[in-house]
Amino acid sequence: MLKVYLSGEIHTDWREQIIEGLKGLDVSFSAPVTDHAASDDCGVAILGDEPNKFWHDHKGAQMNAIRTRKGISDADVVVVRFGEKYKQWNAAFDAGYAAALGKSLIILHQDEHQHALKEVDAAALAVCKEPQQVVDILRYVLTSKLPG
Amino acid sequence: MLKVYLSGEIHTDWREQIIEGLKGLDVSFSAPVTDHAASDDCGVAILGDEPNKFWHDHKGAQMNAIRTRKGISDADVVVVRFGEKYKQWNAAFDAGYAAALGKSLIILHQDEHQHALKEVDAAALAVCKEPQQVVDILRYVLTSKLPG
Amino acid sequence: MLKVYLSGEIHTDWREQIIEGLKGLDVSFSAPVTDHAASDDCGVAILGDEPNKFWHDHKGAQMNAIRTRKGISDADVVVVRFGEKYKQWNAAFDAGYAAALGKSLIILHQDEHQHALKEVDAAALAVCKEPQQVVDILRYVLTSKLPG
Amino acid sequence: MLKVYLSGEIHTDWREQIIEGLKGLDVSFSAPVTDHAASDDCGVAILGDEPNKFWHDHKGAQMNAIRTRKGISDADVVVVRFGEKYKQWNAAFDAGYAAALGKSLIILHQDEHQHALKEVDAAALAVCKEPQQVVDILRYVLTSKLPG
Amino acid sequence: MLKVYLSGEIHTDWREQIIEGLKGLDVSFSAPVTDHAASDDCGVAILGDEPNKFWHDHKGAQMNAIRTRKGISDADVVVVRFGEKYKQWNAAFDAGYAAALGKSLIILHQDEHQHALKEVDAAALAVCKEPQQVVDILRYVLTSKLPG
Amino acid sequence: MLKVYLSGEIHTDWREQIIEGLKGLDVSFSAPVTDHAASDDCGVAILGDEPNKFWHDHKGAQMNAIRTRKGISDADVVVVRFGEKYKQWNAAFDAGYAAALGKSLIILHQDEHQHALKEVDAAALAVCKEPQQVVDILRYVLTSKLPG
Amino acid sequence: MLKVYLSGEIHTDWREQIIEGLKGLDVSFSAPVTDHAASDDCGVAILGDEPNKFWHDHKGAQMNAIRTRKGISDADVVVVRFGEKYKQWNAAFDAGYAAALGKSLIILHQDEHQHALKEVDAAALAVCKEPQQVVDILRYVLTSKLPG
Amino acid sequence: MLKVYLSGEIHTDWREQIIEGLKGLDVSFSAPVTDHAASDDCGVAILGDEPNKFWHDHKGAQMNAIRTRKGISDADVVVVRFGEKYKQWNAAFDAGYAAALGKSLIILHQDEHQHALKEVDAAALAVCKEPQQVVDILRYVLTSKLPG
């Protein structure tokens, strides 16, 4: 079974497209929590309020790391999508983390970010623009079949 | 000897401040190429032109990775500075890479980026606002002496 | 499946609370032998008496280590509870062992031990006071759902 | 050169005794910060005050971890001394951390703690009562000469 | 279960012979994409054309590496066959990759390549001339039964 | 599931006693080929005769290593039995190999070999005289129950 | 200091060109034995004749592996040159070995081998045609200076 | 510098022969304690008497392991000599330990032990009969020069 971790942008349905596109194949998926509000507030919701925003965020980010590290460590392939908005430093951090562990990295982003992402892309085995390309790659890796 | 890698922002003199501030102590420093133009064009300058910007950048980013990986792999401590401008995904990538290798991570950034950097900060052993704080931390780690 | 090792205090039912609280989720648990008498005497009971208390304990502690190391090595998450009594150095030892292996660490203790446990807490991704908080964290990690 | 890290109790001169006793041999030593006040307050002294004692301690403990991890990771032998007072969970944590990294462990404590330290002792290659015994062991390891 | 990766030559049915010969035993197989055309063109077929042959091949080779690395990393035994034709540097590369990961290596080639393959053979636990010998070895490893 | 590798002496039924004694528990076993003749001659039987006894043995020993390494690498616990006869250097080699991989080691031998095996015993978590003691230890590790 | 291993083709002076070109910089070099006759016959010259060519070569190749593995394991950067003649499977083996260890890989070959080396090139951080390009890359990595 | 650990037989001057034979080359040596009496009694001499021979030996063997593990872990090459007498299980244990760490192994023994040592020899890169052969191999590895 090919284990795939889907990191990065959480505001579009790219994960669903990839999962749907690979239905029926020997592949399993994991991902970070994609509920933005839950992801931001999990730390204080469970462990108690923090008046200081830094610690509010710290508690949440460390809690999310339990899930993230498990997902990346278990994965064969880590797909990281950079969306059009936000700093998305956590996505780049995940890419670096996965690269250091020797995971196969697939990066997914539009042309506009090409230059800014060159170091991240340079660590990848494939750089895609569309979720469908990720589907095609993983289908090929699993079945030896090219699209079309 | 404490080996320190200074990653990230290359437009201010923060590296020089840290190196100067720790003069005389048992510490060594390494860093990426900080000449922006050289860093962008090294690939094609040495290996030949590429009409496609993606491969132009790819060649350069991979060449720079020879230096970056050596620096991070050899380091005990990786300091990553996020400046005020640019996407700086390479900085976040380095932070993730260092974290996965179990390096001690010190992050340096202004308050305005606090929320966007929470996952990166959460992997760090210290989060600073000023280069002088990095100096103080490393001096303390090396000598047990606090400032003042 | 998330594999969780429950280390530390053996005189209350905190393990049962956590296991009960996560019933039905994709999680498995392991733990040290929690029968205090068996744990103390296993070495001599199986391998023969020792007149010297040090070797009596040594034989038992090494035998228990077969189980403990397996549990920690296999785990994704190691929860360590410090109770109100006893030295509990084995709990802190397990925490250090898990931290060096890069396991996600959750520490569980009352406020009174806060200062004495600061180095252990500093290596954790979450510090809880109640077993229910561990349940809430692991449920969130597994399902993205916050309590309430 | 044999690299030795001296972890644990910071209120007596046991480190000095060991270092003095091995003068002239091919051995180097490292240790945590042994200035109790500096060790407790380093975090807030450099990075700013925290009203909450937990974060006060957290900042300091993480800063100290930069030094501690470097010392343990570089060491061939980790000596951990448990004194007569305090919880000393950081000492047990260091012992577990060192054990997981496969370091040779020497534990130093009085008889009164024998039963409580059995799991820690069981991971050690030598259990001593006096610093002079540590000196004798390391001298023997370095020179093949027994005392007397 | 014994996991076997079948690397190298893709123009004869040696993989099928081995898989057929071990039918019914507790063994699983993986292999690179053996459709030569798909393997050569996968990169541009999915990610877009490249006028430069180097990048055409680069894109394809990196995409194939996702499958190859997964196969080798998961394997207990890596069998590498060198055929009579072509440079087959990818086969030797896989052998080196597998050797560095500590995989058990079985090399399969005719006598004519003996001298040229001496460094590769020297890293192997068995050097065969016929696929049937690989079958016999793996059957013996799995069942303790010798042929005949 | 606890994975146990049973290394060493192949002339008595100690493996069967252990396997029988643990029937019904969550444990799996692996072992070297215990058919002495097959183990000695496997190399030449499959890969062709060698006039030189050294290479005859070399081919066989390397072929057996495919099975042995898989068994030890996969194991949580490695039991090594030293019998009354023969040099049994392969048993001691397996013990060293397992120790370096951090496996839990149980050594099984009679008193007469005690002094000669002291370095091997010193790396073990338990030293037994009878297979029943191995059964009792593994049952305790799996179920927390002591015999009797 | 940057440690560089120079693997592959031994019939031209490319190693000398690179070493000469980097004179005065903080770099050290290692390489395989480049005396072809010595490299072929070292095994039998020291350990005794073998009538069978396979074992003649096996003894030599394993002896050379002592040097090769040390060189690659110690290196930060592995440069592998493929010449115009011969199978050069040892060069590709070294490249795979280095890649699996996470070394920075620079491949050096003429255009004619481009397609046959695509899997090897795809694992590299730079692909060169001339030794001078390797000099330029390593000088840039060490000094941040581009040629010209 | 090539780091060599000389394990095994302690009753002849083979270590001195090798060290003498390589004088002036870039090589360093380490070895176990070769004073038999000190090696047997170090544990009780420093840590106190044990009435039970098993613990007497255990204390000593664990103390010696501090030196042995350091020597093997730091080594590039581990030479293990099996003499004519004794069980020498510690030598075989060291060989297995070194093999699992991926060290280059050279075994040194007379023909009479050939069959009994086949598994150990099969893990080695060279099998010698005389210390001079070890000298010749290491000189060749260091200088590319063959004897004579």
Side-chain angles (χ1 to χ4, degrees):
Chain A
M1 173 174 290
L2 194 74
K3 289 170 299 269
V4 178
Y5 184 77
L6 302 168
S7 170
E9 185 255 309
I10 60 172
H11 301 98
T12 67
D13 69 345
W14 68 278
R15 286 185 182 80
E16 287 68 28
Q17 290 180 50
I18 291 174
I19 294 169
E20 179 67 28
L22 292 164
K23 230 189 231 169
L25 296 181
D26 192 25
V27 57
S28 69
F29 295 97
S30 62
V33 169
T34 55
D35 174 337
H36 199 151
S39 168
D40 266 10
D41 296 331
C42 59
V44 297
I46 296 175
L47 296 175
D49 281 345
E50 292 292 334
N52 182 330
K53 188 59 163 51
F54 181 84
W55 298 120
H56 176 116
D57 281 348
H58 184 78
K59 271 177 161 177
Q62 288 210 324
M63 197 173 285
N64 285 316
I66 299 174
R67 178 168 169 137
T68 306
R69 289 190 192 174
K70 160 82 174 162
I72 297 179
S73 298
D74 283 1
D76 300 306
V77 177
V78 174
V79 182
V80 187
R81 177 175 168 94
F82 289 83
E84 282 151 50
K85 289 185 291 189
Y86 308 111
K87 292 291 188 183
Q88 307 181 77
W89 283 319
N90 58 325
F93 182 88
D94 281 1
Y97 197 93
L101 298 182
K103 305 297 176 182
S104 289
L105 211 54
I106 298 176
I107 307 297
L108 178 56
H109 64 82
Q110 294 304 305
D111 281 347
E112 64 182 321
H113 289 329
Q114 184 269 318
H115 185 65
L117 280 169
K118 68 187 158 72
E119 288 86 2
V120 177
D121 286 353
L125 290 178
V127 179
C128 301
K129 294 178 192 173
E130 300 298 336
Q132 183 59 39
Q133 291 175 313
V134 180
V135 169
D136 290 345
I137 291 171
L138 294 177
R139 178 179 300 274
Y140 170 70
V141 166
L142 285 158
T143 67
S144 307
K145 299 298 174 213
L146 289 176
Chain B
M1 173 175 289
L2 193 75
K3 290 172 297 277
V4 178
Y5 184 77
L6 301 168
S7 171
E9 187 254 307
I10 60 171
H11 300 97
T12 66
D13 69 345
W14 68 278
R15 285 184 182 81
E16 288 67 29
Q17 291 181 47
I18 291 174
I19 294 170
E20 178 68 28
L22 291 164
K23 228 189 233 169
L25 296 181
D26 193 24
V27 58
S28 69
F29 296 95
S30 62
V33 169
T34 56
D35 174 337
H36 199 151
S39 167
D40 266 11
D41 296 331
C42 59
V44 297
I46 296 176
L47 297 175
D49 281 346
E50 292 291 335
N52 183 329
K53 190 60 164 54
F54 180 84
W55 297 119
H56 177 113
D57 282 347
H58 184 78
K59 272 178 162 178
Q62 288 208 326
M63 197 172 287
N64 286 316
I66 299 175
R67 178 169 170 138
T68 305
R69 288 191 193 173
K70 159 81 174 163
I72 298 180
S73 298
D74 284 1
D76 301 305
V77 177
V78 175
V79 182
V80 187
R81 176 174 168 96
F82 290 83
E84 280 150 50
K85 291 186 289 191
Y86 307 112
K87 292 292 189 183
Q88 307 181 75
W89 283 320
N90 58 327
F93 181 87
D94 281 0
Y97 197 92
L101 298 182
K103 305 297 175 183
S104 288
L105 210 55
I106 299 176
I107 306 299
L108 178 56
H109 64 83
Q110 294 302 307
D111 280 349
E112 63 184 320
H113 289 329
Q114 182 268 317
H115 185 65
L117 280 168
K118 66 187 160 69
E119 286 87 3
V120 178
D121 286 353
L125 290 178
V127 179
C128 301
K129 294 179 192 174
E130 300 298 335
Q132 183 60 40
Q133 290 174 314
V134 179
V135 170
D136 290 345
I137 290 171
L138 294 177
R139 178 178 298 274
Y140 169 71
V141 165
L142 285 158
T143 68
S144 306
K145 300 297 172 211
L146 291 177
Chain C
M1 173 176 289
L2 194 75
K3 290 169 298 271
V4 178
Y5 184 77
L6 302 168
S7 170
E9 187 253 310
I10 60 172
H11 301 97
T12 66
D13 69 345
W14 67 278
R15 285 184 183 81
E16 288 67 27
Q17 291 180 48
I18 290 174
I19 294 169
E20 178 67 28
L22 292 164
K23 232 189 230 167
L25 296 181
D26 192 25
V27 57
S28 70
F29 296 96
S30 63
V33 168
T34 55
D35 174 337
H36 199 151
S39 168
D40 266 11
D41 296 331
C42 59
V44 297
I46 295 175
L47 296 174
D49 282 345
E50 291 293 333
N52 183 330
K53 188 58 162 51
F54 180 84
W55 297 120
H56 177 113
D57 282 347
H58 185 78
K59 272 178 161 177
Q62 288 209 325
M63 197 171 287
N64 286 316
I66 299 174
R67 177 168 171 138
T68 305
R69 289 189 192 175
K70 160 80 173 162
I72 297 179
S73 298
D74 284 1
D76 299 305
V77 177
V78 174
V79 182
V80 187
R81 176 175 168 95
F82 290 83
E84 282 152 49
K85 289 187 290 190
Y86 308 111
K87 293 291 188 181
Q88 306 181 78
W89 283 320
N90 58 326
F93 181 88
D94 281 1
Y97 197 93
L101 298 182
K103 305 298 176 181
S104 288
L105 210 55
I106 299 176
I107 307 297
L108 178 55
H109 64 83
Q110 295 302 305
D111 280 348
E112 62 182 323
H113 289 329
Q114 183 269 318
H115 185 66
L117 280 169
K118 68 188 158 69
E119 287 86 3
V120 177
D121 287 353
L125 290 178
V127 179
C128 303
K129 294 180 190 174
E130 300 298 335
Q132 183 60 40
Q133 290 175 313
V134 179
V135 169
D136 290 345
I137 291 171
L138 294 177
R139 177 178 300 274
Y140 170 70
V141 165
L142 285 157
T143 67
S144 307
K145 299 297 173 212
L146 290 177
Chain D
M1 173 175 288
L2 193 75
K3 290 170 297 278
V4 178
Y5 184 77
L6 302 168
S7 170
E9 187 254 306
I10 60 170
H11 300 96
T12 68
D13 70 344
W14 69 277
R15 285 184 183 81
E16 287 69 27
Q17 291 181 49
I18 290 173
I19 293 170
E20 178 69 28
L22 292 164
K23 230 189 234 170
L25 296 181
D26 192 25
V27 57
S28 69
F29 296 96
S30 62
V33 169
T34 56
D35 174 336
H36 198 149
S39 167
D40 267 10
D41 296 331
C42 60
V44 296
I46 296 175
L47 296 175
D49 282 345
E50 291 293 335
N52 182 330
K53 189 58 164 51
F54 180 84
W55 297 120
H56 176 115
D57 282 348
H58 184 77
K59 272 178 162 178
Q62 288 209 326
M63 197 172 287
N64 286 315
I66 299 175
R67 178 170 171 135
T68 305
R69 288 189 193 174
K70 159 80 173 162
I72 297 179
S73 298
D74 283 0
D76 300 304
V77 177
V78 174
V79 182
V80 187
R81 176 174 168 97
F82 290 83
E84 280 150 49
K85 290 186 289 190
Y86 307 111
K87 292 291 188 184
Q88 306 180 75
W89 282 319
N90 58 327
F93 181 87
D94 281 359
Y97 197 93
L101 297 182
K103 305 296 175 182
S104 288
L105 210 55
I106 298 176
I107 306 299
L108 178 57
H109 64 81
Q110 295 302 306
D111 280 349
E112 64 183 318
H113 289 328
Q114 182 270 316
H115 185 65
L117 279 169
K118 67 188 160 70
E119 286 86 3
V120 177
D121 286 353
L125 290 178
V127 179
C128 301
K129 294 178 191 174
E130 301 298 334
Q132 183 59 42
Q133 290 174 314
V134 179
V135 170
D136 290 345
I137 291 171
L138 294 178
R139 177 177 299 275
Y140 170 72
V141 166
L142 284 158
T143 68
S144 307
K145 299 300 173 208
L146 290 176
Chain E
M1 174 175 290
L2 194 75
K3 290 170 298 274
V4 178
Y5 184 78
L6 302 167
S7 170
E9 186 255 308
I10 60 171
H11 301 98
T12 67
D13 68 345
W14 68 277
R15 285 185 182 80
E16 288 68 29
Q17 290 181 50
I18 290 173
I19 294 169
E20 179 68 28
L22 291 165
K23 228 188 233 171
L25 296 182
D26 191 24
V27 57
S28 69
F29 296 96
S30 62
V33 169
T34 56
D35 175 337
H36 198 150
S39 167
D40 266 10
D41 296 331
C42 59
V44 296
I46 295 175
L47 297 176
D49 281 345
E50 292 291 335
N52 184 330
K53 188 61 163 52
F54 181 84
W55 297 119
H56 177 114
D57 282 349
H58 184 78
K59 271 178 163 177
Q62 288 209 325
M63 197 173 286
N64 285 316
I66 299 173
R67 178 169 169 136
T68 306
R69 289 190 191 174
K70 159 82 175 161
I72 297 180
S73 297
D74 283 1
D76 300 306
V77 178
V78 174
V79 182
V80 186
R81 177 175 168 95
F82 290 83
E84 281 151 48
K85 290 185 290 191
Y86 308 109
K87 293 291 187 183
Q88 307 179 76
W89 283 319
N90 59 326
F93 181 87
D94 281 1
Y97 197 93
L101 297 183
K103 305 296 176 183
S104 288
L105 210 54
I106 298 176
I107 306 297
L108 178 55
H109 65 82
Q110 295 303 306
D111 280 348
E112 63 182 322
H113 288 329
Q114 183 268 315
H115 185 65
L117 280 170
K118 66 187 159 71
E119 287 86 3
V120 178
D121 286 354
L125 290 177
V127 180
C128 301
K129 294 178 193 175
E130 301 298 336
Q132 183 60 41
Q133 290 174 314
V134 179
V135 169
D136 290 346
I137 290 171
L138 294 178
R139 177 178 300 275
Y140 169 70
V141 165
L142 284 159
T143 67
S144 307
K145 298 298 173 211
L146 290 175
Chain F
M1 174 177 289
L2 194 75
K3 290 170 298 274
V4 178
Y5 184 77
L6 302 168
S7 170
E9 186 254 309
I10 60 171
H11 300 97
T12 67
D13 68 344
W14 69 277
R15 284 183 184 81
E16 287 69 26
Q17 290 181 48
I18 291 173
I19 294 169
E20 178 69 27
L22 292 164
K23 229 188 235 170
L25 296 182
D26 191 25
V27 56
S28 69
F29 296 96
S30 62
V33 168
T34 56
D35 174 337
H36 198 151
S39 167
D40 266 11
D41 297 331
C42 59
V44 297
I46 295 175
L47 297 175
D49 282 345
E50 291 293 333
N52 183 330
K53 189 58 161 55
F54 180 84
W55 297 120
H56 176 114
D57 282 349
H58 184 78
K59 271 177 162 177
Q62 287 209 325
M63 197 172 287
N64 285 316
I66 299 173
R67 177 169 170 137
T68 305
R69 288 190 193 174
K70 159 81 173 163
I72 297 179
S73 298
D74 284 1
D76 300 305
V77 177
V78 174
V79 182
V80 187
R81 175 175 168 96
F82 290 83
E84 281 153 47
K85 290 186 291 192
Y86 309 110
K87 293 291 188 183
Q88 306 181 78
W89 282 319
N90 59 327
F93 181 88
D94 281 1
Y97 197 94
L101 297 182
K103 305 297 177 182
S104 288
L105 209 55
I106 298 176
I107 306 299
L108 178 56
H109 65 81
Q110 294 303 305
D111 280 349
E112 62 182 320
H113 288 330
Q114 183 268 317
H115 185 65
L117 280 169
K118 67 188 159 69
E119 286 87 3
V120 178
D121 287 353
L125 290 178
V127 180
C128 302
K129 295 180 190 174
E130 301 298 336
Q132 182 60 39
Q133 290 175 313
V134 179
V135 169
D136 290 346
I137 291 170
L138 294 177
R139 177 177 299 275
Y140 169 70
V141 165
L142 284 157
T143 67
S144 308
K145 299 298 174 209
L146 290 176
Chain G
M1 173 173 290
L2 193 75
K3 290 169 300 269
V4 178
Y5 184 78
L6 301 168
S7 170
E9 187 254 307
I10 60 172
H11 300 97
T12 66
D13 68 346
W14 68 278
R15 285 185 183 81
E16 287 68 27
Q17 291 180 49
I18 291 173
I19 294 170
E20 179 67 27
L22 292 165
K23 229 188 232 169
L25 296 182
D26 192 25
V27 57
S28 70
F29 296 96
S30 61
V33 169
T34 56
D35 174 338
H36 198 151
S39 168
D40 266 12
D41 296 332
C42 58
V44 296
I46 296 175
L47 296 175
D49 282 345
E50 292 292 334
N52 183 330
K53 190 57 163 55
F54 180 84
W55 298 120
H56 177 114
D57 281 348
H58 184 78
K59 272 178 162 177
Q62 288 209 324
M63 197 173 287
N64 286 316
I66 299 174
R67 179 169 169 136
T68 306
R69 289 190 193 174
K70 159 81 174 162
I72 297 179
S73 298
D74 284 1
D76 300 305
V77 177
V78 175
V79 182
V80 187
R81 177 175 166 92
F82 290 83
E84 280 150 50
K85 291 185 288 190
Y86 308 110
K87 293 291 188 183
Q88 307 179 77
W89 284 319
N90 58 326
F93 182 88
D94 281 0
Y97 197 93
L101 297 183
K103 305 296 175 183
S104 288
L105 211 54
I106 298 176
I107 307 298
L108 178 55
H109 65 82
Q110 295 303 305
D111 280 350
E112 63 182 322
H113 289 330
Q114 183 268 317
H115 185 65
L117 280 169
K118 67 187 158 72
E119 287 86 3
V120 177
D121 287 352
L125 290 179
V127 179
C128 302
K129 294 178 191 174
E130 301 300 336
Q132 183 60 40
Q133 290 174 312
V134 179
V135 169
D136 290 346
I137 290 171
L138 294 177
R139 179 177 299 274
Y140 170 71
V141 165
L142 284 158
T143 68
S144 307
K145 299 296 172 213
L146 289 177
Chain H
M1 173 174 290
L2 194 75
K3 290 169 298 273
V4 178
Y5 184 78
L6 302 168
S7 169
E9 187 254 308
I10 60 170
H11 300 96
T12 67
D13 70 344
W14 69 278
R15 284 184 184 81
E16 287 69 27
Q17 290 181 49
I18 290 174
I19 294 169
E20 179 67 28
L22 292 164
K23 231 189 231 167
L25 296 181
D26 192 25
V27 56
S28 69
F29 296 96
S30 62
V33 169
T34 56
D35 174 336
H36 198 150
S39 167
D40 266 12
D41 296 330
C42 60
V44 297
I46 295 175
L47 297 175
D49 283 344
E50 291 292 333
N52 183 330
K53 189 56 163 54
F54 180 84
W55 297 119
H56 176 114
D57 282 348
H58 184 78
K59 272 179 163 177
Q62 288 209 325
M63 197 172 288
N64 286 315
I66 299 173
R67 178 170 170 134
T68 305
R69 288 189 193 175
K70 159 80 173 163
I72 297 179
S73 299
D74 282 0
D76 300 304
V77 177
V78 174
V79 182
V80 187
R81 178 175 167 94
F82 290 84
E84 282 152 47
K85 290 185 289 188
Y86 307 111
K87 293 292 189 183
Q88 307 179 77
W89 283 319
N90 57 326
F93 181 87
D94 281 0
Y97 197 93
L101 297 182
K103 305 296 175 182
S104 288
L105 210 54
I106 299 176
I107 306 298
L108 178 56
H109 64 82
Q110 295 303 304
D111 280 349
E112 63 183 321
H113 289 330
Q114 183 269 316
H115 185 65
L117 279 169
K118 67 187 159 70
E119 286 87 2
V120 177
D121 286 353
L125 290 179
V127 179
C128 302
K129 293 179 192 174
E130 300 299 336
Q132 183 59 40
Q133 291 174 312
V134 179
V135 169
D136 290 346
I137 290 171
L138 294 178
R139 178 177 299 274
Y140 170 71
V141 166
L142 285 158
T143 68
S144 307
K145 299 298 172 210
L146 290 176

